[in-house]
Amino acid sequence: ANTVKLLKQMDPNIKVEALVSDFQGNERCVATVVGSGLDVYAHNIETVERLQGRVRDRRAGYIQSIKTLEHAKSLNPEVVTKSSIMLGVGEKDEEVMQALRDLRTAGVEIVTFGQYLRPSRKHMRVYEYVDYDKYDYWRKQGESMGFAYVASSPLVRSSYKAGEFFVKAMIDQRRAAAAAQHA
């Protein structure tokens, strides 16, 4: 949070995205980050609820992650919220759809989908390599559900840059509206 504050002091127009943990559900930690002045609060749910224990660190949890994102949005409705889902770990379509519904209900505006790739033999195996058509399907589903931006392709990662200009425009528009309201 201090780094974000320092960046904003150096250049108030800089756009800052922070990819953060779920802080084990600690809402004060979420508030500290949101209060830092960042523009995009990113926390990845990684996968569907059923697969959380297999895919993520056991200290993290699906509901805890959703609540973290929801809390961030409730603290500052102007902050852009973002999450990411890896495909190819054994998820079912209805589970992905439910994850999208849960993210939208929590106020998440940007979602990314990418193929899980096994970083080493010590890591979980790839369950399946997902077809390109399925990425397009999830992009369309996300857009139809009201996500402001959906990046969906096998090589997309949570830090995916294709939406950078869109996110910048979104942030600038919110800042201008807030300034007009306070003028």
Side-chain angles (χ1 to χ4, degrees), residues 23-175:
F23 301 111
Q24 295 184 322
N26 186 323
E27 292 185 346
R28 286 185 314 221
C29 292
V30 174
T32 298
V33 174
V34 171
S36 70
L38 84 167
D39 300 289
V40 181
Y41 185 99
H43 173 68
N44 297 335
I45 64 168
E46 306 290 0
T47 189
V48 299
E49 187 171 14
R50 175 179 61 86
L51 297 173
Q52 290 287 308
R54 192 177 97 190
V55 173
R56 295 176 77 194
D57 183 305
R58 298 227 181 253
R59 294 170 293 180
Y62 182 84
I63 300 300
Q64 185 169 285
S65 288
I66 296 292
K67 287 183 177 181
T68 296
L69 288 157
E70 186 174 42
H71 187 60
K73 193 64 164 176
S74 74
L75 291 169
N76 181 357
E78 298 304 311
V79 75
V80 176
T81 48
K82 177 180 172 183
S83 194
S84 185
I85 300 172
M86 296 182 297
L87 299 178
V89 295
E91 69 284 341
K92 296 177 182 165
D93 285 357
E94 181 48 44
E95 293 173 315
V96 176
M97 189 63 75
Q98 184 60 53
L100 287 173
R101 284 191 291 267
D102 293 342
L103 289 169
R104 281 304 297 139
T105 299
V108 173
E109 300 163 274
I110 297 173
V111 66
T112 65
F113 291 96
Q115 173 68 50
Y116 169 71
L117 299 171
R118 187 180 190 189
S120 76
R121 290 180 187 245
K122 294 179 183 177
H123 289 83
M124 166 182 85
R125 292 177 186 251
V126 174
Y127 182 81
E128 72 172 318
Y129 289 97
V130 178
D131 279 347
Y132 281 95
D133 291 347
K134 186 58 84 169
Y135 288 97
D136 192 45
Y137 172 80
W138 289 122
R139 180 188 55 77
K140 289 175 182 172
Q141 289 299 312
E143 290 171 350
S144 73
M145 294 173 77
F147 284 95
Y149 182 73
V150 181
S152 183
S153 182
L155 296 181
V156 164
R157 295 297 173 256
S158 62
S159 58
Y160 192 65
K161 302 282 187 194
E164 205 168 89
F165 293 112
F166 176 81
V167 173
K168 179 187 178 306
M170 196 170 161
I171 292 166
D172 288 344
Q173 182 181 23
R174 288 185 182 174
R175 284 184 182 167

Side-chain angles (χ1 to χ4, degrees), residues 15-26:
K15 308 298 183 267
V16 179
E17 174 177 336
L19 177 60
V20 299
S21 74
D22 63 9
F23 301 111
Q24 295 184 322
N26 186 323

